[in-house]
Amino acid sequence: MVKLRNPQNEHRERFKNAQLAHTGTRGDDMQEKPYFCPNCRSNRIKFSVITSYSQSFLKDALSGNITEFKDPDAIAEPEPTIQCLVCSFTGNELRFIKQAEREPRMNSSTTPHY
Ligand SMILES: [Zn+2]
């Protein structure tokens, strides 16, 4: 299996696959639970979901040119990988959920609203 970034299609394909995931056709749906970054412990709002794709392609053996791209396939993972957009920490979704459960947001908190 070869991982390859294809800049021209990447964004569109990611979006398409994200939509698929959201409709429950894949097993890696994100949970609708609060997240809290266990690293910087200041972010509950801004995250990114990391998904790996495999895209096979054919190469010309002499010139090295890529002659054909297959459709990318999302690599199935047991749970989504989440990235904190504040400190760039990346970890399993469960770590973010557990941290939020340990330190639930207080109504009286002085944390500013975004
Ligand atoms: Zn963070």
Side-chain angles (χ1 to χ4, degrees):
M1 233 191 273
V2 179
K3 277 191 202 178
L4 189 80
R5 282 172 165 263
N6 180 5
Q8 288 179 331
N9 289 331
E10 186 176 44
H11 188 75
R12 182 169 56 81
E13 294 297 341
R14 272 172 189 254
F15 182 75
K16 189 177 77 180
N17 281 295
Q19 292 298 102
L20 281 176
H22 199 70
T23 55
T25 54
R26 295 183 186 275
D28 57 356
D29 282 5
M30 287 181 283
Q31 300 186 49
E32 290 190 6
K33 289 181 176 177
Y35 290 176
F36 188 27
C37 176
N39 188 52
C40 64
R41 297 167 87 175
S42 67
N43 175 32
R44 299 175 190 268
I45 296 169
K46 295 184 288 184
F47 302 97
S48 167
V49 60
I50 312 292
T51 309
S52 301
Y53 288 93
S54 153
Q55 186 171 18
S56 54
F57 61 94
L58 299 177
K59 233 176 183 326
D60 185 292
L62 290 176
S63 69
N65 290 337
I66 292 169
T67 56
E68 185 182 343
F69 269 108
K70 307 286 187 185
D71 288 336
D73 284 320
I75 296 171
E77 289 167 33
E79 62 179 300
T81 299
I82 303 298
Q83 181 178 38
C84 168
L85 292 184
V86 171
C87 69
S88 298
F89 170 82
T90 302
N92 286 343
E93 180 190 40
L94 202 56
R95 295 191 61 182
F96 288 84
I97 293 173
K98 289 290 181 195
Q99 192 65 35
E101 287 172 352
R102 271 196 295 271
E103 297 185 51
R105 181 165 196 158
M106 300 296 172
N107 288 331
S108 59
S109 169
T110 54
T111 307
H113 290 274
Y114 292 99

